[in-house]
């Protein structure tokens, strides 16, 4: 993928793997980092995307049927990263705790450490991580025989 050409509306396949591929999340992180560096994304966007894709690749490999594919596409000022598997079922989406608004002289409590502990004690932490790293801009698309998990990061460059 050339940095001058960029990633367009049409998806660019970054990497493909199967269930027996050793250490798929690590390989996905390397492949995505290389692609995003070539696109000259800023370091924070690259770091966030690499961590988020690791979670999606782990989930796909653990819970869905392969083969699998990781793709990039650019739409406006966002880079979308997609992870496709061959299980059309969309997983249950976890709910995300909402912290109470800051009120310095209030006795009320919400969110905070209790909410964080609840999130970290349950399965599905990976989607919480993806949610935070993508500022809530992520989801799933289902097809007849496949599903695609996706998230977006800013396409701002260095």
């Amino acid at each position: 993928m050339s940095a001058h050409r960029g990633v367009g509306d049409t998806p660019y396949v970054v990497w493909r793997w199967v269930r027996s591929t050793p250490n798929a999340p690590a390989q996905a992180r390397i492949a995505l980092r290389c692609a995003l560096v070539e696109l000259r994304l800023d370091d924070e966007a690259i770091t966030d995307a690499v961590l988020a894709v690791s979670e999606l690749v782990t989930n796909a490999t653990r819970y869905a049927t392969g083969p699998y594919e990781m793709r990039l596409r650019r739409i406006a000022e966002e880079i979308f990263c997609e992870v496709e598997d061959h299980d059309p079922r969309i997983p249950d989406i976890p709910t995300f705790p909402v912290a109470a608004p800051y009120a310095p002289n209030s006795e009320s409590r919400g969110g905070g450490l209790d909410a964080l502990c609840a999130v970290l004690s349950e399965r599905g932490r990976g989607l919480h991580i993806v949610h935070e790293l993508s500022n809530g801009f992520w989801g799933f698309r289902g097809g007849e025989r496949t599903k695609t998990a996706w998230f977006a990061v800013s396409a701002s460059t260095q």
Side-chain angles (χ1 to χ4, degrees), residues 86-99:
H86 283 78
D87 181 350
R89 296 172 295 162
I90 304 291
D92 292 332
I93 307 297
T95 56
F96 297 95
V98 177

Side-chain angles (χ1 to χ4, degrees), residues 73-94:
R73 73 173 76 217
R74 182 183 192 134
I75 300 174
E77 296 302 314
E78 305 290 332
I79 297 287
F80 288 79
C81 183
E82 304 173 337
V83 175
E84 182 182 78
D85 62 53
H86 283 78
D87 181 350
R89 296 172 295 162
I90 304 291
D92 292 332
I93 307 297

Side-chain angles (χ1 to χ4, degrees), residues 49 78-81 130 133-139 150-155:
E78 305 290 332
I79 297 287
F80 288 79
C81 183
V130 171
L133 294 171
S134 68
N135 294 312
F137 200 30
W138 67 279
W150 62 269
F151 65 89
V153 294
S154 172

Side-chain angles (χ1 to χ4, degrees), residues 13-81:
V13 176
V14 176
W15 187 57
R16 292 182 174 115
W17 74 101
V18 295
R19 184 177 297 265
S20 62
T21 300
N23 210 358
Q27 290 191 56
R29 288 191 300 269
I30 292 166
L32 183 61
R33 180 174 297 281
C34 289
L36 296 178
V37 164
E38 190 171 330
L39 290 172
R40 298 190 178 113
L41 262 62
D42 68 42
D43 290 338
E44 184 176 350
I46 291 172
T47 300
D48 290 351
V50 166
L51 181 54
V53 86
S54 184
E55 298 298 334
L56 295 183
V57 168
T58 297
N59 286 350
T61 306
R62 183 175 294 156
Y63 300 115
T65 307
Y68 313 92
E69 186 172 272
M70 180 174 54
R71 301 181 294 255
L72 289 178
R73 73 173 76 217
R74 182 183 192 134
I75 300 174
E77 296 302 314
E78 305 290 332
I79 297 287
F80 288 79
C81 183

Side-chain angles (χ1 to χ4, degrees), residues 78 123 127 155:
E78 305 290 332
R123 290 183 64 187
L127 294 180

